[in-house]
Every structure is written in C-alpha cells, then in structure tokens.
Amino acid sequence: MAPHSSTTSVGLAAYAALMRAMPRSYRAEYGEESLQDLREILAEAHAPSRLHALRSTVRACTDLLLRLPREWWAEWTTRPALGRGRYVNDIGMGDRMMEGFRTFRLAGRALSKRPGFALVATLTLALGIGANVAVFAIVNGVLLQPLPYENSSQIVTYEHHAPGLDLPTLLNSEGMIAFYEERAPFIEATAAWGQGRSNLAGDGDAARVDVVAFSPDLFDVLRVQPLLGRPFTDADTGPDFRQGSSVALLGHGLWQTRFGGDPNVIGRSIELDGNTIEIIGVMPESFLFPEPGVDLYRALYVDPEGSFGAFGTPTVSRLAPGITAEIAQQRLTDLHSLLPEVFTGMDASFFESAGFSVSVATLRDRLVRDVESTLWIVLGTVGFVFLIACANVANLFLVRAESRQKEMAIRSAMGAGRKSVISSFLSESVILGLAGGLLGMAFAFVSVPALLSIADLPRGAEVSIDLMAFAFAGALSLVAGVVFGSFAAFRYAGGPVTGVLRDGSRGSTSGPGRSRARNLLVATQLALGLVLLVGSGLMLRSFGELRALDIGIEADDVLTLQLNRNQGEDHAITGRFFQDAAERIAALPGVQSVGAGSNLPLASGSSNGGSFFIESQPRADDELPPIAMYRKVGPGYFAALDIPLLEGRDVERADSEEPRSVVWVNEAFAREFFDGEAIGERISWNDPPDDTPPGGGPYAEIVGVVGNVRELGLEEDDLRPLAYFPLVAASAVGTDLASASLAIEVVEGVDPVSLADAVQAELRAFAPGVPITATRTMDDIVGEAMEATSVTMIVIAIATGMALFLAAIGLAGVISYVVGQRTREIGVRVALGASAGTVGGMIIKQSMFVTALGTVLGLVGAFGLTRLMEALLFGVSATDPVTFAAAPVILILVSLVATWLPARRATRVDPIEALRAE
C-alpha cells in the first residue's frame, strides 16, 4: 500500500460520515457524486504526499460543514407544489436568503477592490443624507411630533382681532375669559397665564429668575401633576394676590441647581421680590410650558367679574372630546352676537366697526406658526442637496459600469441572466447607500446642536435624533441606493455581448449615446445648484436690505443692560434709583451718554399700548378710540440711542423727581392724530371723568416730538404711533416699574463690550443687591430681530455651497472620463497639428454645453422657487434681475473651474504614448 493510502482512507471515511449528517434528499442527489469527486482529487497526483491528502480532506470536510445549515434550512422551508401535472420543488426561503447574502458578499468584495470609488461615493451620499437627517430631526421635533401632553390635539389657544382699531392681534381679557367659560360648554377648561422675571433671595445669592404665573385650571388643561408636592388650588389665589400668590412651585432646573434636588424642599420659604413665598411643589423635568427654563411657577388670579378691555392675557384651553379647533372657532364666533348684551357699555355697531373676531388654533400650531414655512423651505432646500448627491454617485456608477462592460458581457455569455446582473449592480449601490446613511447619521448628530445654537426655535428642547430620524435616514439610504444604482443596472445589464467581447470595453463606450445619460445627470445637478444659488442670492439681498433699514436709532457703539427692582416698590423711589444709576455710569471714562427706559426698541415686550383720549378731540360713544403704544424713559434716553428731538424740549431730571403730567410723542403720532401740530396737546390713557377741568385730571401735555423708531420688529409696514412718558409718570400710566433697561452710548472708537465689566462693577458698588441682567450691545438686539431671516439665509447658503461643490465634482468627473475615453482621438489630433488651445477648447465646449443645459433648466426652476419664497418668507422679493443675471455667471465660472484640470490634462496628451496604449 502506498504510504499515503491510510490517510486517504481515513479522509474518505470522515467525509462519508459527515455526509450522513446531511438531509436525505441531498445525500440521494449529491452523496455518491461528492464522494467520488474527493477520491479523484486525492488520486490526481502521481505520488501525492500525506500533507496533500490531509489538506484536501480538511478542505472538503470544511465545505461540507459550511453547507450543512443551509441544506437543512432549505429542507425545512421547501414545500412541494403541483404544477402542470407533476410535482416540482419551489425555491425555499432559506435558498433565497442565502442567495441574497451571497450577492451582497460578492458586491462588498467588488467594492473593496475599488476603495477610492467606494470612499468618494460614500462621502458624497453622507453629505446629502446627513444634511437632510439633521434638518428632518428639527422639523420632526418642532412641527410633526405632538406636544408632550395627553390628547394634545385637544389643547387650543384663542386670539382676538380688531382690524378696525388697528389691532390685528389681541390676546384675551378677564371679561372675555369669563364670557366663554359661562357660555361655551364645549370648552372643558381654560387657564390664563403670564410671564415675567423676579428677584430671588434666600438659600443662596440673590438672582434674577424667570417666573410664570398661571391659574390652577392649567393642571386640568394640560393634565399634568407636580413631581413633588401638590398643585395650585383656587384657595391659593384671590383678589389679594393679583401680583402672585404666597405659594410657588419650583421648576425642575431651579430645584436641581439651587436646592440640589432635595426632596424635602416642600414647605421651605424663599424671598421673591421682598415677599416670603412657600414652596409647595416641584414640577417634572418634562414640563416645558410655556417654554423650557422656567424657574418658578405662581398661582394667578383671574377676576370672574373682569371687564371687556385689557386684552393682554394669554390663555390655553382644552376642548371636549370630538370638538376640533375649527368647530370651536365657529361656535365661539356664533357667541359673539351676545357680546352687546353682556358688555352693556358697547353696542353692536362698536363690534362691527372694530371687526371684532376670534381665531382658534391648536397649541402646537400657535407655537410653531412663525417658523413653520421657514423650516419646510429649509428641508426642501437640503432635499436638493440630496438629489444632487444621488445624481453625482449615479454618474460615478455609470462610469464604473462602462469600465465593467467586458466583465458583464462574459458573465452574460456564461449564462448569467439579466436579473443576476441587475442584482449585482443594485447590491453594490445599496451597500454604498447604507454606508453613506451610517456616516450621514454621524454628520447629523454633530449638525443638529450646531443648527439649534444659531436658531432660537420653539420646542427646540424637544429636538433629538430619535427613531423617526433613524427611519428617515434608512429610507433615504435605500432610496439613494436603488435610484443611483438603477441608472447603471438597467442601462448596461443584459445588453448585446458579441460586440463587447470582440472589440473590448473601450471601443464599446464611444459615441454620443453613451454619454447622454451622464450629461443629463450633470445638467440636472447644475440646474439644482442654480436654483439654490438664486434662492440664496435673494436671501442675501433681503438680509442686506434689512441691515440697511432705518430703524430710527443708532445701534453702533451702544451697550445695554437691565436693572431689576422688586415688584410693588414705590414708583417714585424706583424711578429715582434708575436715574441715579444712569448718572453713575455716565461718569465712567469712555461713556458719552446714558439713558434709562422701561425697555428698548426691538426687544421682546418692548412697549405697552391701547386706546387713549385726546382732550381737544372729544369722541362720541359709538366712535372707535385711537390706538397707540407707550413706554417710559428718563433723561439721556433719546441721546444715547440717537433718536432726534424734532420739536419741544428733552426729558429732564426733574421729570423723574416727582410725577409730572408731560409726555413726548413720535413723528408718526403727531402726524396721524394732530396733523403734525402736537406740541401743547393733552392726551390720557385713562378715561377722564366728564367734569375734568381744562388743564387738570389725568391728562398729560405733549412737550416734545421725536423721530420714529421701529419698536416691535423690522417687518412693520408703517412706523407706529408711540408716546414716551417720564419714568415717574403721573396717573396717566401708573403701572409698576420693576425693571429698566439702560442704553449706554460709548465714545467713538471704544468697544462697548470692553466697558461691560467696568459698568457692572460700578452698579454692584452702587446697589449690591440688585440683579444685573441682559448685558448685550444694541447691535445684538438688532441681530436677534433679524434672526429668522439670517438663519434661513445661512442654511440656504450652506446648502448652496454644498450643491455647487457636488455639481462641480460631478462635472469634473464626467469631463475627466471623457478625456480618458478620447485619449486616442486627442493623440491623433495633436499628431496632426492641433494646438493645445484647440484641444482644450474642445473639452471646454463640451462642458459648456452641459452647463448651458443646466442653466436653462435651473432658471425655470429658480423662478418657481422664488415665487414660493416670496409668498412664504418675509422680505424676499422674486423681482430681482441682478440675482437672476448673476447666478448663471457664477455657475459658468464654477463649471470652468471644474473643467480646468481635465482640459489641462487633455492638452498634455502625448500622441505617441496615446497611440501606443491603444
């Protein structure tokens, strides 16, 4: 016996034993044949060694072991089926799964052989998918997800409108709240609330905290309960607690930071605005009403006998089951016919003249209405980037598919069907799509916090990369893989193979038909890039117009801050305190002028307002009163903000030493109510009694006219009438002055921010217990007023840059491929005397043809996009010929830059080397 015969016998016995573990059907069909194959392998050499026999036996047994689970799975999942009079075996689920795994394994192996192609395609897709997932996460968190309250679709808010009084939007009054509660049974509960800031002392240093007061019904409306302690009850409110009850609930954040999350905090006392307040509970971390970051909650009293006027109270209500916001609005509108009967001081003609109406919307819709259209436009914008990324990778696939035509032809000639070839292409593209999706998710995780940091969005705290974002990323990845893989799969799978095998792959790709798909994809990319370029150009122009808008003040070189006194302090004492503080700061080096005001232009809650009376213009009972805003200012306020004094005198220190019945008005006020002759006229925000003598009572005399200022926002069509009262006003506007903002104009050339520390140190020395908040420049306040437009512009500009970059890469890739395919042709031209300029011009000509096609398509799309932006976004006008003319020029320049390297490569083709390579 040969030395290796014993090894061969052992190997065959081991293989036969393993074969018995296979299913019976497999042994019957393949058992003897497989054993015979192993015998031939072991005997094929003239003198095989023991090592050769051992190696072959191990390899055969290993293969059999690997097939064992697959064959048993196929055995269990295969069922006989009757077909055309005989039994056949269907392909089982196991076979399908194993075939699918095999296809994807082969696709992964093919991609690993082209790492450069795989890396570029993955990065391109990651850019497009990541940008879309990041914006979708924000859209989902802000617009799509329900509020974190039970049956949140039943929670609504309602507002009123009186366009006849020049009051497009009003909140609610105590009288209207009681009116609806008594006559609207379809409203289960209504809660009023208000927001402000207070000084907190006790258990640590004094601090300025955000406080929200709400009526106890809020717990029924939102169906929430405190984390610790008890909720507010009606016993916690009453007429004596109009400025807030003697109990409070802690916000979760303040409970953690100031009280260390102490569960025994219930029953402890704190000092709020000089009053002792008992802590009765702690709200849960998930309670974000009306916004995140509220420190304290207090009980709010709503007078059930309140008047019709003073529409300054926001409310939130819960509707009965089955009642929608639309139904509630119609029923509330029907109730308005009863208003003259309830509020007897006003007849039906008053409400008709005022155009008094109500609108109802879900709380979610009300919260997001200012950003909804902007977010959808931003999502659509980054969607363009995704399409461009898909087109770019599709082009890469087309190029790669052309280089693999000979491979595909051989596979077809060997029996591979069209379905098999298509599966191989799609498997590769899906793998790349999923890889791009995974990398894009990492990009989104970084991008979402960055986007939230530059945009103050409602419900921003609820935005996260959740399961919806993962599902969206997965959907985009699969769509991308299928879409760009299909271009190559259906174009090159199953085509004629004879010519390819005879001529080779290079010759088979020549001709205009082969490049038509690639050119169309690049033209589409350029068209989408042009659309975004026009959109970003319009946004940039609109932003520039906003920056150049005359807002009535000089924002440069102005530092602002807010000083906060306790609520309820004597008005005259508070006013003199703010004046003393302003004078102390005015004495600092580098300070030019300082003025105090109840608030600043463009800042939130900048002015109060309402109807007023003009002494020289008595009105009938059925006549609508004039409407204007007012605020309080001290000496130096107009000078610090460069508000010009047009007539009369400026504010004096004596105006804040004691109550004086004087007032200043802006130019719009004087023009609208007095035909420009306002000095000496007298006005009042209180209803004067009929027997008020001339020159007496609550009237204040107009002693000055100043320039117009855009107080409420840059979107104001017309500048509103505005009155300025002294800090210590007479009875005309006797509201509390618990806080005041200081406008500090610095000497030219001095950075306002550099004086912030010195100003704060001086104020702490002057009043060590008074919190100083909101230290910022006036330029920052103006920038915040432009935030919606600036954020949209930034995102669209980033998307445009990404789109143009991807489009340029796509164009450069296609032109480079064309140069590679036409190397022999270029070599012949150069050999026949063609100059470098001629060759480069030929390449640039082809690039410009594609660019021209993309420009035409892009201009058509841009016109439609700008019309949409004009309708949905403030300040964007589609009628801008400069932008429409400049965008194609920029696109052409980008195309020329992208074509430069391929054209340069074409001009350096060596004709001898080119012909030799063929």
Side-chain angles (χ1 to χ4, degrees), residues 440-769:
M441 286 300 297
F443 176 73
F445 270 106
V446 176
S447 301
V448 168
L451 290 174
L452 292 176
S453 67
I454 64 174
D456 185 15
L457 295 173
R459 306 186 66 193
E462 302 174 48
V463 174
S464 64
I465 304 291
D466 56 7
L467 289 178
M468 285 288 290
F470 274 98
F472 183 73
L476 286 184
S477 301
L478 290 176
V479 168
V482 172
V483 168
F484 70 74
S486 298
F487 279 91
F490 291 100
R491 181 169 181 81
Y492 294 105
V497 301
T498 306
V500 176
L501 294 175
R502 182 181 64 248
D503 300 330
S505 61
R506 180 177 296 275
S508 67
T509 61
S510 61
R514 293 292 185 180
S515 61
R516 190 175 298 118
R518 297 193 305 270
N519 290 341
L520 184 59
L521 283 171
V522 173
T524 303
Q525 290 178 263
L526 294 172
L528 294 174
L530 181 62
V531 170
L532 295 184
L533 189 61
V534 171
S536 61
L538 292 175
M539 291 298 300
L540 181 62
R541 189 210 63 178
S542 300
F543 185 75
E545 290 178 353
L546 285 178
R547 292 293 299 179
L549 188 67
D550 182 13
I551 59 177
I553 62 172
E554 182 58 55
D556 297 336
D557 302 326
V558 176
L559 178 70
T560 72
L561 54 83
Q562 190 174 67
L563 289 175
N564 307 281
R565 301 283 290 187
N566 293 330
Q567 290 279 356
E569 287 187 344
D570 181 83
H571 201 180
I573 294 175
T574 303
R576 283 193 287 271
F577 166 81
F578 291 131
Q579 282 304 115
D580 292 339
E583 291 180 359
R584 293 283 294 262
I585 296 173
L588 293 176
V591 176
Q592 184 165 319
S593 58
V594 181
S598 55
N599 214 313
L600 296 168
L602 301 179
S604 59
S606 61
S607 295
N608 296 312
S611 60
F612 64 97
F613 301 86
I614 301 174
E615 186 178 40
S616 63
Q617 301 175 20
R619 60 181 177 85
D621 293 339
D622 59 350
E623 184 180 354
L624 299 180
I627 303 292
M629 299 184 301
Y630 66 84
R631 70 168 45 179
K632 299 178 182 180
V633 298
Y637 178 86
F638 298 135
L641 293 176
D642 281 346
I643 301 175
L645 179 66
L646 304 179
E647 293 183 73
R649 68 173 180 85
D650 205 341
V651 185
E652 301 171 353
R653 169 78 194 210
D655 296 322
S656 294
E657 294 287 351
E658 60 184 18
R660 286 188 173 184
S661 296
V662 293
V663 65
W664 289 256
V665 298
N666 68 352
E667 188 177 9
F669 193 110
R671 183 178 61 252
E672 181 169 344
F673 302 119
F674 303 108
D675 293 329
E677 303 295 330
I679 299 296
E681 293 284 353
R682 286 160 46 85
I683 59 176
S684 173
W685 254 260
N686 289 333
D687 192 355
D690 295 335
D691 57 354
T692 299
Y699 285 107
E701 181 182 353
I702 298 174
V703 296
V705 178
V706 299
N708 295 325
V709 177
R710 294 182 184 272
E711 293 287 336
L712 299 183
L714 301 175
E715 68 275 11
E716 291 182 71
D717 294 331
D718 296 313
L719 294 168
R720 295 174 177 267
L722 177 66
Y724 299 90
F725 288 92
L727 286 176
V728 185
S731 58
V733 281
T735 57
D736 276 341
L737 187 66
S739 64
S741 296
L742 299 183
I744 306 165
E745 183 185 19
V746 302
V747 175
E748 186 176 354
V750 176
D751 182 10
V753 177
S754 66
L755 287 180
D757 291 340
V759 169
Q760 292 183 2
E762 182 68 22
L763 289 174
R764 290 193 181 98
F766 168 63

Side-chain angles (χ1 to χ4, degrees), residues 211-230:
V211 180
V212 169
F214 56 77
S215 56
D217 287 330
L218 187 72
F219 294 101
D220 295 327
V221 172
L222 301 183
R223 294 182 181 172
V224 296
Q225 291 295 315
L227 177 67
L228 298 175
R230 66 173 180 86

Side-chain angles (χ1 to χ4, degrees), residues 225-527:
Q225 291 295 315
L227 177 67
L228 298 175
R230 66 173 180 86
F232 296 134
T233 65
D234 290 338
D236 295 318
T237 66
D240 294 335
F241 299 123
R242 284 183 176 273
Q243 301 302 324
S245 67
S246 59
V247 297
L249 294 165
L250 293 178
H252 194 274
L254 185 67
W255 177 52
Q256 291 290 329
T257 57
R258 193 174 182 93
F259 299 95
D262 182 7
N264 299 316
V265 72
I266 308 301
R268 292 170 63 175
S269 297
I270 56 176
E271 185 178 317
L272 196 68
D273 288 334
N275 300 314
T276 300
I277 305 296
E278 179 188 355
I279 299 173
I280 64 169
V282 178
M283 295 304 293
E285 186 176 7
S286 59
F287 185 70
L288 304 176
F289 182 85
E291 61 186 22
V294 176
D295 299 306
L296 277 170
Y297 300 93
R298 303 188 68 184
L300 177 68
Y301 172 73
V302 179
D303 187 358
E305 304 295 330
S307 64
F308 171 78
F311 282 81
T313 304
T315 61
V316 59
S317 303
R318 177 172 286 275
L319 300 178
I323 303 297
T324 65
E326 293 75 15
I327 295 174
Q329 177 170 327
Q330 183 58 52
R331 293 188 181 182
L332 291 181
T333 301
D334 294 341
L335 289 175
H336 281 194
S337 61
L338 303 177
L339 287 175
E341 301 176 12
V342 177
F343 302 104
T344 56
M346 293 165 287
D347 56 21
S349 61
F350 170 82
F351 292 104
E352 184 178 351
S353 300
F356 190 73
S357 63
V358 64
S359 62
V360 181
T362 64
L363 179 59
R364 188 209 69 88
D365 290 343
R366 195 75 79 188
L367 287 174
V368 304
R369 62 181 174 183
D370 292 335
V371 300
E372 185 168 14
S373 60
T374 298
L375 288 179
W376 285 120
I377 283 184
V378 170
L379 182 61
T381 299
V382 295
F384 279 20
V385 177
F386 173 71
L387 294 177
I388 292 173
C390 287
N392 210 332
V393 179
N395 247 327
L396 292 175
F397 249 73
L398 285 174
V399 170
R400 185 166 181 267
E402 288 190 0
S403 67
R404 298 175 63 191
Q405 282 188 92
K406 191 170 184 178
E407 172 195 340
M408 295 297 106
I410 293 173
R411 290 180 60 182
S412 297
M414 295 178 65
R418 179 180 176 85
K419 180 180 178 181
S420 174
V421 176
I422 291 176
S423 296
S424 66
F425 276 118
L426 291 180
S427 298
E428 292 182 18
S429 63
V430 169
I431 289 175
L432 288 176
L434 294 176
L438 289 175
L439 191 59
M441 286 300 297
F443 176 73
F445 270 106
V446 176
S447 301
V448 168
L451 290 174
L452 292 176
S453 67
I454 64 174
D456 185 15
L457 295 173
R459 306 186 66 193
E462 302 174 48
V463 174
S464 64
I465 304 291
D466 56 7
L467 289 178
M468 285 288 290
F470 274 98
F472 183 73
L476 286 184
S477 301
L478 290 176
V479 168
V482 172
V483 168
F484 70 74
S486 298
F487 279 91
F490 291 100
R491 181 169 181 81
Y492 294 105
V497 301
T498 306
V500 176
L501 294 175
R502 182 181 64 248
D503 300 330
S505 61
R506 180 177 296 275
S508 67
T509 61
S510 61
R514 293 292 185 180
S515 61
R516 190 175 298 118
R518 297 193 305 270
N519 290 341
L520 184 59
L521 283 171
V522 173
T524 303
Q525 290 178 263
L526 294 172

Side-chain angles (χ1 to χ4, degrees), residues 68 117 160 284 287 501 620 743 761 850 862 877:
L68 184 65
F117 162 78
H160 296 91
F287 185 70
L501 294 175
V850 177
S877 173

